[in-house]
């Protein structure tokens, strides 16, 4: 790993898609970087309105970076605040930090903060980045992602109430110098400096708003390329160019409008009429028509894998005790016909028999290609027999019909179809009665899951950085992202060992054993799909990025040409 300067794509294999005016109609992002030189500022015509329209399936719940743990807020925060480093055109570039260095033992990282200002003309200081770490780790914040940063000296003790922030290895040496001290070397450390939880945070603004910070866009200050001009909850989020941004001359867009579009037909209608300029995660039969348009040169299509997995999670601490049983959880997992699911409900995705998705690397080893899906080793077992054995172990009568409740994110058509698929599978194959409960919105769904107010549901995880630990450590005992509240001593031990093990082959074996426990032996989750890119971009959109790691969109270098 480089000790100073920019960390290049070839070293960390961070994949993103950049659209420029080079005549390319399809970008294959499976193994290589699909990009061209970004158009110069002079190429953007003054008479073209520099507004891009995109879509989210759900609204974000908050702009509170200290507590953020969802993909929608992640994108908005990363576009409106300045991380220490920023991913641009496939490389990590200096951003809030103009340079950095690493000690010989790899445990101390020092960042030099550039001269730049908040949107209210106040200087951004190293202390703002240090306070961001303090707020995120503060036990009262209850940030689900806090465990990702336990490699920072003293972070775990502070986050678990056993220490104070004075003992945490994050210090503002002066206004322009920020220092991190780690407990052990972390190969993906610099990737995590491009992370929404670590954007600078003004203590005066944050503290003044107590528990409401992040709910009102007008009371916040911004340090990134854009600011949140307006947030119409449940409808749209309007980002406008931040004229105080240090690199504003590179920002061509005047606005980025994020439309909340839950129904697939509506999204397709808007894209076809050019009311939105990019569609992502396109489902089912719509792909066929859009692929034809791409082949005809009318739009740009993306292909390749996206490092994202979907899974059914079981509440292992549910009050009923039903999903505390390993055999019952495994029975529910094996009863899912994944091939039927991707052929009918999740068209365009790939059936998953493991949890860590494609595109995740361990140095230069492609984890998924080197590891057979562990669930395949259990496919010869009879789910109904496992189910009945599990019921007997719980003291329940296998001859009686038992009920479970499946929680879905919203009442949208796609969510209904999803829930009904699982309902049909489990009722027919296991003889269990499945009720469907509907959350009012994504924020409510997430709250129910993280507070354990559910029995079984479908969730998913997208990569934050390129290492298998990003998909496995979340299931450690007590981790804030541990939706099933899974706890297994051996699993925890394997993840702990993987953090300090320097040998690639040994790390691979530790991860493989941990994944097997999670998926096939204890079945805390039932992996369902791996995601393939099914995104489409209008030809007049240039320079926008759809990164594999980080925000859903990167707008900094985007422009509209020839619309």
């Amino acid at each position: 790993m480089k000790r100073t300067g920019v960390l290049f794509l070839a070293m960390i294999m961070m994949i993103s898609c950049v659209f420029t005016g080079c005549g390319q109609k399809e970008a294959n992002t499976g193994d290589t970087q699909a990009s061209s030189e970004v158009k110069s500022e002079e190429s953007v015509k003054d008479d073209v309105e520099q507004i891009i329209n995109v879509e989210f399936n759900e609204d974000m719940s908050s702009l509170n970076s200290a507590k953020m743990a969802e993909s929608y807020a992640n994108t908005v925060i990363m576009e409106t605040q300045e991380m220490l480093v920023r991913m641009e055109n496939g490389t990590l570039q200096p951003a809030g930090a103009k340079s950095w260095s690493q000690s010989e033992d790899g445990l101390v990282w020092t960042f030099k903060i550039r001269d730049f200002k908040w949107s209210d003309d106040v200087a951004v200081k190293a202390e703002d980045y240090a306070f961001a770490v303090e707020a995120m780790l503060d036990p009262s914040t209850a940030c689900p992602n806090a465990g990702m940063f336990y490699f920072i000296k003293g972070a775990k003790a502070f986050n678990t109430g056993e220490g104070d922030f004075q003992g945490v290895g994050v210090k503002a040496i002066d206004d322009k110098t920020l220092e991190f001290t780690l407990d052990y070397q972390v190969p993906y450390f610099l990737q995590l400096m491009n992370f929404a939880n670590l954007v600078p945070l003004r203590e005066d603004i944050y503290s003044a708003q107590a528990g409401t910070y992040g709910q009102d866009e007008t009371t916040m200050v911004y340090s990134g390329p854009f600011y949140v001009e307006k947030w119409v909850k449940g409808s749209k989020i309007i980002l406008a160019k931040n004229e105080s941004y240090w690199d504003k001359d590179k920002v061509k867009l005047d606005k980025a409008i994020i439309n909340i579009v839950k129904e697939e037909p509506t999204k397709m209608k808007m894209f076809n009429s050019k009311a939105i300029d990019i569609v992502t995660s396109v489902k089912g039969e719509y792909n066929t028509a859009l692929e034809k348009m791409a082949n005809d040169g009318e739009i740009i299509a993306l292909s390749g894998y996206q490092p994202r997995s979907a899974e059914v999670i079981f509440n292992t601490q549910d009050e009923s005790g039903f999903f505390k049983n390993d055999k019952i959880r495994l029975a529910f997992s094996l009863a899912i016909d994944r091939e039927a699911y991707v052929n009918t409900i999740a068209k365009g995705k790939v059936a998953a028999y493991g949890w860590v998705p494609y595109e995740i690397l361990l140095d230069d080893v492609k984890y998924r290609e080197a590891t057979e899906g562990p669930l395949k080793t259990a496919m010869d077992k009879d789910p109904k027999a496992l189910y009945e054995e599990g019921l007997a172990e719980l003291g329940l009568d296998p001859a009686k019909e038992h009920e479970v409740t499946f929680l879905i994110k919203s009442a949208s058509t796609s969510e209904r179809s999803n829930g009904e698929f699982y309902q049909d599978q489990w009722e027919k194959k296991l003889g269990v009665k499945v009720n469907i409960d509907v959350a009012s919105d994504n924020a409510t769904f997430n709250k129910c899951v993280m507070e354990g107010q559910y029995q079984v549901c479908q969730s998913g995880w997208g990569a934050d950085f390129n290492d298998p630990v990003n998909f496995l450590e979340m299931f450690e005992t007590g981790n804030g992202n541990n939706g099933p509240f899974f706890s297994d001593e051996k699993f925890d031990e394997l993840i702990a060992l993987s953090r300090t093990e320097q040998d690639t082959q040994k790390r691979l074996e530790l991860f493989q054993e941990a994944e097997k426990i999670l998926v096939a032996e204890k079945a805390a989750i039932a992996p369902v799909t791996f995601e393939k890119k099914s995104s489409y971009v209008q030809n007049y959109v240039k320079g926008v990025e759809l990164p594999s790691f980080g925000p859903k969109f990167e707008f900094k270098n985007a422009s509209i040409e020839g619309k």
Side-chain angles (χ1 to χ4, degrees), residues 18 43 58 79 86 124 152 174 197 222 251-252 274-275 318 329 336 362 373 404 410 456 464-465 478 487-488 490 527:
V18 182
S43 69
E58 300 284 348
E79 294 306 289
R86 180 177 289 272
V124 178
I152 298 173
D174 55 44
N197 289 129
Y222 304 91
V251 180
K252 314 298 191 309
K274 298 185 180 179
D318 173 46
R329 296 195 302 268
I336 300 169
L362 193 58
V404 299
S410 70
V456 56
D464 297 302
F465 54 92
S487 181
D488 183 81
K490 180 62 176 177

Side-chain angles (χ1 to χ4, degrees), residues 352-373:
Y353 298 89
W355 173 236
V356 180
Y358 290 97
E359 298 301 332
I360 294 297
L361 302 175
L362 193 58
D363 291 336
D364 59 349
V365 176
K366 297 178 180 179
Y367 179 85
R368 194 72 274 153
E369 293 183 13
T371 309
E372 182 182 28

Side-chain angles (χ1 to χ4, degrees), residues 56-61 70 72-73 231-237 260 262 442-443:
F56 280 175
N57 292 331
E58 300 284 348
D59 200 354
M60 60 184 180
S61 58
E70 60 173 70
Y72 306 110
W231 178 14
V232 184
K233 295 183 180 181
S235 177
K236 66 178 60 179
I237 305 160
I260 313 303
K262 296 184 178 183
N442 191 59

Side-chain angles (χ1 to χ4, degrees), residues 1-7 11 99-111 185 189-190:
M1 183 175 288
K2 280 183 175 285
R3 298 187 184 279
T4 305
V6 178
L7 187 61
M11 299 182 67
S99 64
W100 54 86
S101 60
Q102 183 184 9
S103 63
E104 288 297 323
D105 63 5
L107 298 182
V108 179
W109 287 75
T110 304
F111 293 85
Q185 288 189 40
F189 173 80
L190 204 55

Side-chain angles (χ1 to χ4, degrees), residues 102 194 254 304 322 376 399 405:
Q102 183 184 9
N194 178 46
D254 293 321
F322 197 78
K376 289 186 175 181
T405 300

Side-chain angles (χ1 to χ4, degrees), residues 1 13 39 44 48 51 116 122 168 255 266 314 367 380 393 396 409 462 523 540:
M1 183 175 288
M13 296 300 286
K39 289 282 189 179
V44 181
V48 176
I51 298 177
F116 72 116
V122 174
V168 177
K255 293 185 179 182
T266 304
F314 308 103
Y367 179 85
D380 59 342
E393 290 177 4
L396 300 174
K409 295 179 181 178
Y540 51 76

Side-chain angles (χ1 to χ4, degrees), residues 41-59:
E41 185 175 2
E42 290 74 22
S43 69
V44 181
K45 296 180 180 180
D46 292 335
D47 60 348
V48 176
E49 190 176 45
Q50 291 300 310
I51 298 177
I52 192 170
N53 282 273
V54 299
E55 50 79 23
F56 280 175
N57 292 331
E58 300 284 348
D59 200 354

